Amino acid sequence: EDAQDALQSTMAKALAALRDEERDFELRPWLFRIAHNEAISRLRQRRDAVDLDAVGTLGTDSLTQTVEDRERLALLSADLRDLPERQRSALVLRELSGLSHQEIAVVLDSSASAVKQTIFEARAGLHECAEGRTMLCADVQRALSDGDGRVLRGRRVRAHVRSCRACRSFKTALAQRPADL
């Protein structure tokens, strides 16, 4: 329903803007820009989140495959949320919408070379998150215990703590311990 509302608002805004527009321009990137801005506005207005378990099954291969797919998508979703908005937008426009670097540049009000760099940084960030999940718990818990804020803000440690119950509990215990003492 939100997507339909965003589409309707996009088309209404585009139609209103086209009535006053006299210059020549690329229509597709311009429409993507309007749709992108409208989608961001809708997301900012919406506060409640839908759990991934509420989403229908992705395939009917097997229960094991379905569970693996859901887990992989949940991790990807969390990793995408961890990226800065500009990187996330550029990557989604490239991977899901199939836009060219030049078209994404128009949508994000940037240059094609900056878009290429942003997409590279997004992919590198997703790779860092995947690496973080494979870190040894002892190394992550040591970093948490040391309390080096620079290390704790790193994507690898955040991704590991997000996906590891033991390290999440360790981090919670560290925060509660001073009050207990």
Side-chain angles (χ1 to χ4, degrees), residues 102-117:
Q102 189 61 40
E103 291 170 326
I104 296 170
V106 171
V107 171
L108 297 180
D109 195 27
S110 185
S111 67
S113 60
V115 166
K116 287 179 185 179
Q117 180 65 29

Side-chain angles (χ1 to χ4, degrees), residues 18 20-26 30:
L18 282 175
D20 299 331
E21 190 63 47
E22 295 180 12
R23 63 184 168 94
D24 288 335
F25 59 91
E26 292 291 323
W30 181 73

Side-chain angles (χ1 to χ4, degrees), residues 80-93:
L80 281 171
R81 280 191 305 272
D82 195 43
L83 292 175
E85 183 177 329
R86 186 170 190 77
Q87 289 179 8
R88 184 176 49 247
S89 297
L91 186 64
V92 167
L93 288 171

Side-chain angles (χ1 to χ4, degrees), residues 2 4 6-7 9 16-17 22 38 62-63 78 83 89 92 94 103 117 150 164 178:
D2 284 345
Q4 290 174 345
L7 175 64
S9 295
E22 295 180 12
E38 187 63 30
S62 69
L63 179 60
L83 292 175
S89 297
V92 167
R94 179 69 175 176
E103 291 170 326
Q117 180 65 29
R150 189 175 46 93
C164 177

Side-chain angles (χ1 to χ4, degrees), residues 93-150:
L93 288 171
R94 179 69 175 176
E95 300 293 330
L96 296 181
S97 299
L99 286 157
S100 70
H101 293 117
Q102 189 61 40
E103 291 170 326
I104 296 170
V106 171
V107 171
L108 297 180
D109 195 27
S110 185
S111 67
S113 60
V115 166
K116 287 179 185 179
Q117 180 65 29
T118 303
I119 291 171
F120 170 76
E121 289 169 356
R123 289 176 176 155
L126 291 177
H127 184 70
E128 280 184 53
C129 289
E131 284 179 345
R133 284 191 293 278
T134 63
M135 290 175 70
L136 295 175
C137 288
D139 294 340
V140 173
Q141 290 175 3
R142 177 66 169 186
L144 291 171
S145 180
D146 290 345
D148 182 359
R150 189 175 46 93

